[in-house]
Amino acid sequence: MSYKLIIERKNELNNRNRAFAIYINGEYYEDIGSDENEKTLFFDTKLIEIKFKIDWCYSNKMTISFNDSKVKKISVSSSISNLLWHFIVSGITFSVLFYFIFNRMIFVYLPLVIIAIPVYKITFGRNNYLKIKEK
């Protein structure tokens, strides 16, 4: 009996040119490329553990049980969403602009705090950089 897993990959600014490596039960399986919005995998077992990797960052592990149905669908995305990137870029832009208008040092330090968000996610938060959700 064959079970089908559909993986949906979201298009994101920060990962648009890099593939996600798929690990099934701790072993490398294959990649889902940056140009693929969806990938279908087939398995003979009812229970699998899946994890994704991009560069040195990982996702959380997810156990998928095919007991209820023969088809499961999951989505994988970055913890740094497009909306967060827009916030980071606009925050830095407005901080620089406000520094020149108001000449206050707080607007020099604010971009450092804003830049700390993605830096944290790719260093200390690298084991949860990618998020897996069941659909």
Side-chain angles (χ1 to χ4, degrees), residues 21-30 43 49-52 61:
I22 303 169
Y23 287 83
I24 304 294
N25 299 328
E27 298 288 326
Y28 172 77
Y29 193 76
E30 65 181 85
F43 301 99
E49 185 177 83
I50 191 165
K51 187 175 185 175
F52 293 89
K61 289 180 185 175

Side-chain angles (χ1 to χ4, degrees), residues 22 28 35 37 54 121:
I22 303 169
Y28 172 77
D35 58 340
N37 292 332
I54 183 170
K121 290 190 178 276

Side-chain angles (χ1 to χ4, degrees), residues 7-22 30-40 54 76:
I7 302 170
E8 179 184 281
R9 179 181 170 161
K10 297 189 177 181
N11 292 327
E12 298 169 316
L13 293 171
N14 54 332
N15 299 323
R16 68 177 170 255
N17 293 325
R18 300 179 309 188
F20 294 167
I22 303 169
E30 65 181 85
D31 288 342
I32 180 167
S34 58
D35 58 340
E36 295 178 275
N37 292 332
E38 197 172 272
K39 185 172 235 44
T40 303
I54 183 170
V76 60

